[in-house]
Amino acid sequence: MCSMGTNMRASSCAVSSVSRLPPALTAPARQASAAPLAAARHSLRLGRGLMVLAEAPAGEPVVAAAAAAAPVPTPTSAASPAPATFDIEDLHPQPATNGKGFVWTRNWYPVTALDNLHPSRPTQIMVLGYNLAVWRDAGGEWRAFRDACPHRAAPLSEGRINRETKNLECAYHGWQFAGSGAAVELPQSQPGAAKATACSSGRSCAVAYPTAESHGLLWVWLEPGAAGRSAAAAAPLPVLPTTDQEGREWFQVSPWYVRDLDVDHLPLMENSCDPAHVHFTHAGFIGARDRAGPINVKLLDQQEDGVYTFVSEDPKKASFRNLVLKPPCMLWASSEGTMPGGELALLYFVVPVAPGKSRLMSLVFSSNKKVFGLLAKIFHWQPWLRHLYNHTVAAQDVAVLHRQGTNMAAPDWPGWRKGFYLPTSSDSGVVVMRKWLEQVAGGRVAWGPNVSASDLIQPETRREVLMDTYHQHTEHCPHCQKALRGVRAGAAAMAAAAGAAFLGLAYAWGQGGVAPLAPASLALLAGLGLALAARDALQKLERKFYFADWRHADHSG
C-alpha cells in the first residue's frame, strides 16, 4: 500500500466495504445528504458517514422500465418515440452542504509523482492554468511558487537551488527566496537597513501555495497566503483503502504512471468513467469486442462533498464492477466480487493543465498476490515495462479523445445536452460529470492566470506531437530515463559486437585461412547475426520511449 506522508489528512472521499462496494475512499463521519436521489429509490445507512442507495423493492425500479416497442411508422401516421430505458434527468449531482458551489482554486490537486521531481533543482509544472515552480527547501519540504519572480516576473523555475543557503535563487538577478516565499537576499540592494526593508516588504515575496505529500504524489492548493493555508489545512486529502471487501490487503502492482496528454480535461475524465468504450477502443489489450453489450450502470450513492459511487450489474461486459467518482480529478474503479482469490483496482487522477491539455496519473492495485504478486515485483523492479504498455493504451485513447475535445470546443457545438445522445445507462458517469460541472462547478473549468480567456483548443493533426511519449513522459520519468540510457548502451554494445564479429570473419577468411563452413566461421556468423538482431530489437525498443502511435483502422480485427 501507499505510505502516508506526514502531511496526510483525513479523507473526504469515502466508500465503505458494503455489499458489492469496495472500501474505496474513506471519510470522517458526517450527515447524509437530505435530498433523496429519486422517489423510486430507498436508502440504507451503512458505515461511517456513507449513504448507500440500495435497489428499490419490486415495483419501484431504479430506472424507468422499458416500454413496448413503438409502432412501425407509416406514410400516414408519425411514429411515437419509445420511452428511453435511461433518463439523464434521474441523475442530480448534489451541491455542497454549505449551499455553495465548487470553487476550482479551493481544492487539492496532485501535480506529479514525487519520483519525477529533481531534489536539487526547480521544476516547472502547470496545473489549472497556473505556472508553478516546484522545489525542495533546506528542510526537505517540497514548495510550490508562482513561476514569476516578484522583481521583474522572470521564471523562477529557470533558477537554481543555492548550494550554500539552499534557498531558491532566481536566474535573472540572483534574488533568493526561503520556503515560505520570503525574500532573503537581494544582491543589488545596499546592505543594512535598505536590504532589510526590501526583504521585509510583502512585495518582495514570491507567491507560495500550500503543498502536501501523500501516496507518492505532490499536492498543491491553488490559493496562496494565510487564507489559503487555513483553507488547505482544513481540507482533507484522499485516503486510499487498505483492504478489499473480503479483507484482503490492497498492494500497488506498479509505481505511478504520469503523462501529459494533448487531451482536454473533460473528455479524458469522462473516458475514465465510461465502461463501454473499453471493448472497442482497447480491444485486444484490456477489452474484447465479443464481450461488448448492454451495461446497466447505477448510481448507488452521492455524498454532499461530491463523491459519487456507481455499480455495474454486468461486470463481464463492463471494465469495472464499482466506480467512485470525485470530480474534478479522481476516479477509483475496481472489480470487487468478480475475481476469485482477490481483486484488481485502478486509481486515476485526471488533472486539468490548460485548455486541451491534461495530466494523467494512474496506479494499479490488487489484492490477489497469487496472480499479481510476481508482476508487482517485476514492475517495481523495472517500472518502465508498465509505462511502455501504458503508452500504447494511452495512444488508443488519444487517437479519439483529442479530436473529441476539439469537436466540443467548436463554436457551433450546441453543448452536451443537445450535442450528445445518451440513451443507455453506461453513460451514467458521463452524465453525472457533466451535471456536476454545470450545476455545482460553474459550468466550466476556471482557468488560472497563465491561460487567456480567448485560448481555444486547437486541433493537432501531427501524430508525432499527439503520440510524443518522450516530451509527455520519458523526459520527466527517472525510471524511463534510466531504462532509455540502458537501451541505448545495449544497442551500442551490440553494434560493437557485430563490428567485432565482422572483422573476425574478415580476418579468418583472409589471413587466417579458415574455411567459410568451418566451426569457427559458423560461430562468428552466428555471433554477427545475433548481435545485429539484438541491436535492431533494442533500437526498436528505444523508439517506444519517444513515440507510440496507434491507428484504430489498422487494428479492426
Side-chain angles (χ1 to χ4, degrees):
M1 277 302 299
C2 299
S3 60
M4 306 303 177
T6 56
N7 291 322
M8 194 64 194
R9 295 168 173 81
S11 172
S12 65
C13 303
V15 177
S16 290
S17 178
V18 295
S19 182
R20 299 166 298 183
L21 216 56
L25 304 165
T26 59
R30 59 183 70 194
Q31 294 296 322
S33 173
L37 289 182
R41 303 186 181 103
H42 69 286
S43 60
L44 176 65
R45 183 80 177 188
L46 293 169
R48 297 182 61 196
L50 175 66
M51 181 70 76
V52 172
L53 298 169
E55 290 185 37
E60 297 180 16
V62 175
V63 295
V72 177
T74 65
T76 56
S77 63
S80 299
T85 59
F86 169 69
D87 188 351
I88 64 173
E89 300 306 326
D90 285 344
L91 301 175
H92 302 283
Q94 299 294 314
T97 52
N98 59 11
K100 298 179 180 179
F102 177 82
V103 179
W104 287 86
T105 54
R106 296 174 191 167
N107 189 60
W108 282 111
Y109 291 95
V111 294
T112 193
L114 291 172
D115 285 349
N116 290 7
L117 294 171
H118 200 288
S120 59
R121 66 168 181 255
T123 302
Q124 192 278 328
I125 296 178
M126 176 177 272
V127 57
L128 199 69
Y130 287 78
N131 278 329
L132 305 176
V134 174
W135 63 290
R136 191 166 69 173
D137 68 10
E141 290 192 43
W142 288 103
R143 303 290 187 170
F145 290 176
R146 181 172 292 178
D147 197 15
C149 180
H151 177 210
R152 283 169 55 193
L156 291 173
S157 60
E158 285 296 321
R160 69 185 185 110
I161 310 301
N162 186 282
R163 293 181 180 180
E164 289 75 31
T165 65
K166 306 302 181 183
N167 295 318
L168 178 59
E169 182 179 286
C170 181
Y172 201 18
H173 295 93
W175 286 32
Q176 291 186 34
F177 303 91
S180 64
V184 293
E185 175 59 49
L186 282 65
Q188 295 76 33
S189 178
Q190 294 293 332
K195 180 176 289 189
T197 299
C199 287
S200 63
S201 171
R203 297 186 62 186
S204 68
C205 293
V207 177
Y209 299 98
T211 58
E213 300 175 32
S214 178
H215 310 309
L217 300 176
L218 177 66
W219 301 70
V220 175
W221 183 275
L222 292 174
E223 287 192 339
R229 292 192 297 272
S230 177
L237 282 163
V239 175
L240 301 183
T242 57
T243 62
D244 67 10
Q245 66 172 6
E246 300 296 332
R248 292 168 296 218
E249 182 181 1
W250 288 112
F251 60 90
Q252 291 184 19
V253 176
S254 67
W256 282 101
Y257 174 73
V258 181
R259 182 173 172 185
D260 286 347
L261 297 172
D262 285 333
V263 175
D264 198 40
H265 168 255
L266 199 54
L268 188 56
M269 198 62 186
E270 293 171 349
N271 178 76
S272 300
C273 58
D274 169 18
H277 85 285
V278 171
H279 297 310
F280 295 93
T281 307
H282 305 296
F285 279 74
I286 51 178
R289 290 179 178 83
D290 59 2
R291 287 173 53 196
I295 303 174
N296 188 17
V297 178
K298 293 182 179 180
L299 176 63
L300 286 186
D301 175 48
Q302 54 181 337
Q303 297 179 24
E304 67 273 16
D305 55 358
V307 179
Y308 305 94
T309 304
F310 302 84
V311 65
S312 168
E313 295 188 340
D314 310 278
K316 292 183 178 180
K317 299 176 182 178
S319 56
F320 60 81
R321 175 59 162 164
N322 299 292
L323 175 72
V324 180
L325 169 64
K326 176 69 168 67
C329 296
M330 186 169 62
L331 303 105
W332 168 277
S334 69
S335 64
E336 293 278 355
T338 65
M339 296 178 63
E343 309 296 346
L344 192 66
L346 293 173
L347 175 65
Y348 290 99
F349 289 102
V350 179
V351 181
V353 174
K357 296 183 181 296
S358 301
R359 184 168 300 116
L360 172 66
M361 291 179 258
S362 69
L363 198 60
V364 182
F365 288 87
S366 180
S367 58
N368 191 328
K369 292 185 178 179
K370 183 177 181 180
V371 175
F372 295 101
L374 177 60
L375 188 64
K377 291 180 180 179
I378 293 173
F379 282 163
H380 281 280
W381 172 52
Q382 298 293 338
W384 62 274
L385 292 171
R386 186 216 165 194
H387 292 181
L388 293 189
Y389 174 84
N390 274 60
H391 289 343
T392 300
V393 175
Q396 294 165 354
D397 282 322
V398 171
V400 174
L401 298 180
H402 172 76
R403 288 303 299 271
Q404 182 188 32
T406 61
N407 288 341
M408 292 188 295
D412 60 346
W413 194 64
W416 75 275
R417 289 181 178 272
K418 293 183 179 180
F420 291 170
Y421 178 51
L422 306 172
T424 69
S425 68
S426 63
D427 287 316
S428 292
V430 174
V431 174
V432 167
M433 187 69 201
R434 287 283 173 172
K435 286 193 170 184
W436 174 87
L437 184 68
E438 71 177 15
Q439 298 175 12
V440 180
R444 62 180 183 85
V445 178
W447 297 111
N450 299 112
V451 170
S452 170
S454 62
D455 284 348
L456 296 177
I457 303 173
Q458 298 297 327
E460 178 57 72
T461 59
R462 295 169 295 173
R463 302 184 80 84
E464 63 271 21
V465 174
L466 291 175
M467 315 295 184
D468 178 1
T469 56
Y470 183 81
H471 293 99
Q472 295 176 359
H473 173 83
T474 303
E475 71 172 347
H476 308 297
C477 175
H479 310 295
C480 289
Q481 289 176 14
K482 181 180 179 181
L484 179 57
R485 290 192 295 269
V487 169
R488 285 173 176 166
M494 290 300 101
F502 179 79
L503 292 175
L505 279 172
Y507 177 81
W509 291 349
Q511 297 180 3
V514 179
L517 296 181
S521 294
L522 294 177
L524 287 170
L525 282 170
L528 175 61
L530 289 173
L532 290 174
R535 183 204 62 179
D536 291 345
L538 287 170
Q539 288 178 340
K540 184 178 180 180
L541 179 61
E542 180 182 351
R543 288 193 289 271
K544 293 182 180 296
F545 290 94
Y546 289 90
F547 180 69
D549 197 5
W550 187 269
R551 294 180 184 271
H552 287 283
D554 295 337
H555 301 269
S556 57

